[in-house]
Amino acid sequence: MSAPGFALFDTPIGICAIAWSGRGITGLQLPEPTPVATRARVKRRWPDAVEAASVPAGVQRALDRVQALLAGGTVDLADIPLDLEAAPEFHRKVYEVARTIPPGHTMTYGEIARRLGVPHESREVGQALGKNPVAIIVPCHRVLGADGKMGGFSANGGVSTKRRMLEIEGAPEVGAGPLFAAR
């Protein structure tokens, strides 16, 4: 990797941004309503990152894999190097568990809490995922509320963006089903 930087890139869900440090990916910003708004959001979230005309090879590999996933490919992003040292320890633990969820699958906030040995802290898991700086790479969109409910999603577009990403991945839990029950 290299010095802190960021770059915008196009995906099937819109213009995203990726930020990095010398240790790994520090951020992945989902699309805002416009590329200008996405760029402004990145500058607020990662003020030391400088927009780069070209990205380091490791960042490009990560970016290519994110694009492939969002284009419907079954791509596992769990081995992309991250730099999450700015995140609290509990959040990093939540992100580790979330990274084990394969594309097309989901887990609940409660399941993550149980895996961490804190079964009554599903709300805290949700709060940690709401601050996830590397959406998609840490697949917070794959985490649902109890009984398969969508729960929240802090990215622009909210739950509809979460549902769209799950649909792209082929997760069966998001199918809306028929409008009227068959008779």
Side-chain angles (χ1 to χ4, degrees):
M1 302 280 171
S2 65
F6 78 91
L8 300 183
F9 64 101
D10 197 15
T11 74
I13 65 168
I15 302 293
C16 292
I18 192 165
W20 63 87
S21 73
R23 292 178 297 281
I25 304 300
T26 57
L28 198 144
Q29 178 62 49
L30 294 174
E32 291 292 322
T34 67
V36 169
T38 300
R39 181 178 287 112
R41 179 87 181 253
V42 169
K43 289 180 178 182
R44 283 192 309 274
R45 291 183 76 188
W46 298 282
D48 295 336
V50 176
E51 188 166 8
S54 63
V55 300
V59 174
Q60 185 63 53
R61 282 190 298 277
L63 192 153
D64 291 343
R65 291 168 66 194
V66 167
Q67 287 174 314
L69 179 73
L70 291 175
T74 52
V75 180
D76 186 1
L77 308 177
D79 63 340
I80 292 175
L82 300 178
D83 176 1
L84 298 175
E85 78 176 26
E89 182 181 357
F90 180 75
H91 292 201
R92 290 193 306 268
K93 289 178 179 180
V94 168
Y95 302 157
E96 276 181 39
V97 174
R99 287 188 91 184
T100 68
I101 309 167
H105 294 83
T106 60
M107 187 179 287
T108 67
Y109 299 103
E111 287 173 305
I112 291 177
R114 284 189 293 282
R115 286 192 184 190
L116 293 174
V118 288
H120 301 293
E121 294 190 11
S122 57
R123 182 166 298 175
E124 289 81 357
V125 167
Q127 290 169 347
L129 291 170
K131 295 185 184 303
N132 175 13
V134 283
I136 302 173
I137 299 173
V138 170
C140 52
H141 64 283
R142 295 181 192 147
V143 183
L144 304 177
D147 300 324
K149 294 178 182 159
M150 280 287 129
F153 198 62
S154 60
N156 183 52
V159 172
S160 63
T161 298
K162 181 176 188 171
R163 179 179 298 278
R164 183 168 179 211
M165 291 177 10
L166 287 168
E167 287 171 348
I168 287 170
E169 293 182 354
E173 290 84 353
V174 299
L179 184 57
F180 300 102
R183 292 186 169 199

